[in-house]
Amino acid sequence: MFQPGQMMDRPLLISGIIEHAAAQFGSVDVVSRETHGPLFRYTYADCAVRSRQLANALKALGLGPGSAVGSIAWNNHRHLEAYFAVSGSGMVMHTCNPRLQAQQLVYIINHADDEVVLFDTTFAPLVKGIAAHCPKVKAWVCLSDGDNTVAVDGVANVLCYEDLIAAHDDRFDWPDFDERTGAALCYTSGTTGHPKGVLYSHRAIVLNALSGCLPGVMSLSPKDTVLPVVPMFHINAWCIPYGAPIAGARLVLPGPRLDGASLHELMEAERVTVTAGVPIIWLGLLQHVEQHGLRFSTMRRTTVGGSAMPAALIAKFAEKYGVEVRHGWGMTETTAVATIGCLTPENELLPPAEQHAIVARQGKSLFGVEIKVVDENGATLPRDGTSQGELLVRGQWIASGYYKGEASPLVDGWFPTGDIATIEPGGIMQIRDRTKDVIKTGGEWISSIDLENAAMGHPDVAMAAVIGVKHPKWEERPLLFIVRRPGQSLGKDEILAFLSERVAKWWVPDDVVFVESLPVGGTGKVQKAELRKQYDGVFS
Ligand code: ADP
């Protein structure tokens, strides 16, 4: 017999987050880099006031529960207000990745039925190019004050954000509704075919954001100042814009300035303790810090994910700068972080290189997420650290389908990630490759990630990428791309000799291409498809 518990049935809603922050951490700062340069500073209480004004403004524009509002914006305070105003009023916050191609942006804005799109001035040229193709958008709102709002040639319905909200009441009764209601929408990058939409529920976001605050995850608390470099336009900035106000942590939003010098200056000026971003961002930051002999006076922890964090970078952060790296894994379909590593006291007794090797794995699944690896027939593989197969996930914040999608992607209730992984007996998961990137050679597999990590261990290497190229005898063989560190003259023989000491002989790449830079996609990952296209046939 069902015996209900006697607790109140209060839904987990995003409006509750900002109202909690306003009530309990009302005087805590939010610092935000304006797109035109200066820093803007206010509090969670101010953020709540303006979120309510925006909620009223959107209502006045004729939007209501279920409407979608797009954003093409940096991490800044107006974007943050939209996160709360839009989802809090029962609408869908559709964050658009400005690095998508214009026709993909048009596709997602139309597919999501966006009625209003918020944009930063940086993206005015983009809006100019796409507005005519987005007939359902009633208003394009420039996230700026009157002085800095830009006219967009040929687009009549451009409004200024500050003018839009100024006229509206700062009281708004956030509606109560089912916590499983859609709150935010993010499209995958769509490397093949159209981008696919992932519609996050309030429940998924709140649960994930709460988990992100845990000490073994990002550890957010009132003691912290957190700077999410990871964009609010992709996977909710790993839910930090929700987690920080839940935890009462100060929030620092870097706006458009993501270069090493600007980030370091902001971290120091605002006494940032925790950061989060993709490895390529930290590469730029560390280069700047090393070149100028700088330190981190307050930064203690950084959460890294999106692509594999090489052990060499982990070592540099830990040994040279005293910064702990928390390496996590997740994807658009997992709301934000799904697995993350954290060293135990026993781990900390190991030699540093062994500790970094543990951190270089992608860690354990958070409570709320289950993981397993399966072979090509779908049979679960042992958790022995060596059996590798496709990683499957399920849990309270894992997608069960795609927005307006027909076929369910699930396999027996699990989401197939397209990543190849191993799981150790203790539960630590390691991503070996993406299914599409793994190099198949002579009936065996080579992990492009492991090879890249090994190459990154060479002091003259700034960036490395490995792809499999068709080979007449071996099916595929690895081809290595190297971006040298400035001023270095590393040659092919030297890097191959370096690798031969670190990987199996048959893993050593057949050739090396030295390049000035690598193609990086909208989410900070090297675009291997581009490289494959360009170098297809070089071993034939
Ligand atoms: P896309 O780049 O295709 O839009 P996402 O941004 O959702 O997709 O990225 C998810 C993918 O990024 C994962 O499936 C995985 O391949 C990769 N990824 C994420 N975190 C890590 C990590 N820590 N190490 C290696 N790969 C990672």
Side-chain angles (χ1 to χ4, degrees):
M1 191 195 81
F2 173 60
Q3 165 89 321
Q6 291 182 307
M7 296 301 112
M8 294 181 191
D9 193 10
R10 299 285 301 138
L12 299 168
L13 297 179
I14 287 168
S15 53
I17 296 178
I18 191 58
E19 290 304 335
H20 163 76
Q24 303 304 324
F25 302 108
S27 60
V28 171
D29 284 343
V30 177
V31 181
S32 163
R33 172 77 67 195
E34 294 269 20
T35 305
H36 64 280
L39 281 183
F40 172 86
R41 192 180 297 274
Y42 68 172
T43 63
Y44 281 127
D46 300 327
C47 177
V49 162
R50 287 165 50 92
S51 301
R52 290 185 222 116
Q53 284 179 292
L54 176 59
N56 279 316
L58 291 170
K59 195 171 167 188
L61 284 176
L63 277 64
S67 300
V69 174
S71 65
I72 314 176
W74 299 114
N75 293 10
N76 58 39
H77 65 286
R78 297 187 183 93
H79 204 180
L80 183 71
E81 292 156 12
Y83 264 42
F84 297 117
V86 174
S87 306
S89 23
M91 305 185 220
V92 173
M93 180 75 222
H94 170 209
T95 54
C96 303
N97 185 341
R99 297 181 189 131
L100 290 179
Q101 295 159 8
Q103 81 254 30
Q104 289 182 318
L105 273 174
V106 167
Y107 171 84
I108 65 173
I109 288 171
N110 288 331
H111 188 261
D113 297 314
D114 290 345
E115 294 178 47
V116 165
V117 175
L118 314 168
F119 69 98
D120 271 320
T121 51
T122 317
F123 306 115
L126 210 79
V127 169
K128 179 176 176 220
I130 63 175
H133 308 286
C134 303
K136 294 177 217 165
V137 177
K138 298 184 200 168
W140 299 85
V141 178
C142 184
L143 293 171
S144 180
D145 54 21
D147 292 344
N148 293 289
T149 289
V150 288
V152 185
D153 276 356
V155 184
N157 47 347
V158 172
L159 305 176
C160 160
Y161 182 88
E162 292 298 330
D163 294 349
L164 175 71
I165 68 168
H168 288 280
D169 200 330
D170 63 8
R171 287 163 303 175
F172 184 81
D173 284 330
W174 300 113
D176 255 1
F177 44 80
D178 191 318
E179 64 187 23
R180 292 166 300 179
T181 304
L185 180 61
C186 178
Y187 283 77
T188 62
S189 329
T191 32
T192 52
H194 282 310
K196 287 182 281 192
V198 178
L199 183 61
Y200 309 108
S201 63
H202 285 253
R203 172 185 159 82
I205 287 177
V206 173
L207 289 176
N208 181 278
L210 276 169
S211 306
C213 298
L214 288 171
V217 185
M218 279 184 258
S219 186
L220 301 183
S221 83
K223 290 182 193 297
D224 285 303
T225 297
V226 54
L227 185 153
V229 183
V230 48
M232 289 171 70
F233 59 67
H234 192 59
I235 326 189
N236 317 310
W238 299 349
C239 284
I240 294 171
Y242 309 107
I246 286 178
R250 285 176 80 231
L251 187 60
V252 178
L253 301 169
R257 294 206 194 157
L258 306 178
D259 59 289
S262 306
L263 287 176
H264 183 263
E265 190 192 310
L266 189 59
M267 285 173 189
E268 290 296 302
E270 293 303 325
R271 304 188 56 76
V272 167
T273 59
V274 185
T275 55
V278 294
I280 197 160
I281 288 284
W282 301 143
L283 214 63
L285 177 71
L286 280 182
Q287 265 174 16
H288 170 79
V289 169
E290 281 187 301
Q291 265 168 18
H292 295 84
L294 304 169
R295 318 272 333 147
F296 296 108
S297 13
T298 54
M299 213 241 286
R300 296 287 161 263
R301 273 187 314 285
T302 182
T303 307
V304 187
S307 50
M309 179 72 166
L313 281 192
I314 295 167
K316 204 164 274 176
F317 263 126
E319 290 177 35
K320 204 160 167 192
Y321 298 105
V323 175
E324 182 190 348
V325 173
R326 296 274 175 89
H327 185 194
W329 169 90
M331 56 199 308
T332 311
E333 291 88 341
T334 67
T335 306
V337 184
T339 74
I340 198 159
C342 180
L343 291 175
T344 63
E346 292 77 35
N347 296 156
E348 283 169 344
L349 298 175
L350 295 170
E354 287 180 39
Q355 295 187 34
H356 307 327
I358 295 173
V359 178
R361 295 169 201 151
Q362 283 75 5
K364 301 189 178 202
S365 64
L366 274 63
F367 175 72
V369 178
E370 293 167 77
I371 53 174
K372 66 176 178 178
V373 287
V374 300
D375 67 14
E376 54 278 18
N377 302 316
T380 303
L381 290 166
R383 290 182 163 217
D384 56 10
T386 54
S387 302
Q388 58 182 35
E390 186 172 10
L391 176 68
L392 268 56
V393 288
R394 76 173 175 193
Q396 286 129 20
W397 57 76
I398 309 298
S400 62
Y402 291 103
Y403 191 50
K404 298 183 189 169
E406 274 132 45
S408 164
L410 302 190
V411 179
D412 294 334
W414 292 74
F415 181 83
T417 64
D419 285 334
I420 305 288
T422 51
I423 304 177
E424 294 172 17
I428 293 181
M429 185 274 288
Q430 182 169 6
I431 298 285
R432 302 289 175 162
D433 230 323
R434 288 188 134 181
T435 327
K436 56 182 191 271
D437 293 339
V438 77
I439 302 159
K440 295 174 199 92
T441 191
E444 300 280 351
W445 284 1
I446 296 177
S447 155
S448 64
I449 294 184
D450 285 357
L451 266 180
E452 287 155 9
N453 279 345
M456 288 290 292
H458 193 287
D460 296 348
V461 172
M463 259 179 99
V466 178
I467 58 166
V469 174
K470 269 193 244 97
H471 190 280
K473 178 164 176 203
W474 299 111
E475 188 179 351
E476 279 181 350
R477 286 297 300 156
L479 175 64
L480 170 65
F481 295 83
I482 295 280
V483 181
R484 296 187 190 97
R485 285 170 72 89
Q488 301 303 325
S489 58
L490 175 73
K492 172 176 161 181
D493 293 346
E494 197 183 338
I495 184 70
L496 291 183
F498 178 83
L499 288 177
S500 334
E501 287 167 18
R502 285 161 179 81
V503 299
K505 222 189 185 103
W506 59 276
W507 279 43
V508 176
D510 283 26
D511 205 354
V512 186
V513 182
F514 291 92
V515 287
E516 288 299 313
S517 63
L518 286 164
V520 174
T523 55
K525 296 179 230 280
V526 172
Q527 289 187 302
K528 294 196 182 176
E530 269 311 298
L531 294 175
R532 276 193 286 264
K533 224 185 293 163
Q534 268 182 46
Y535 288 86
D536 182 41
V538 290
F539 295 152
S540 302

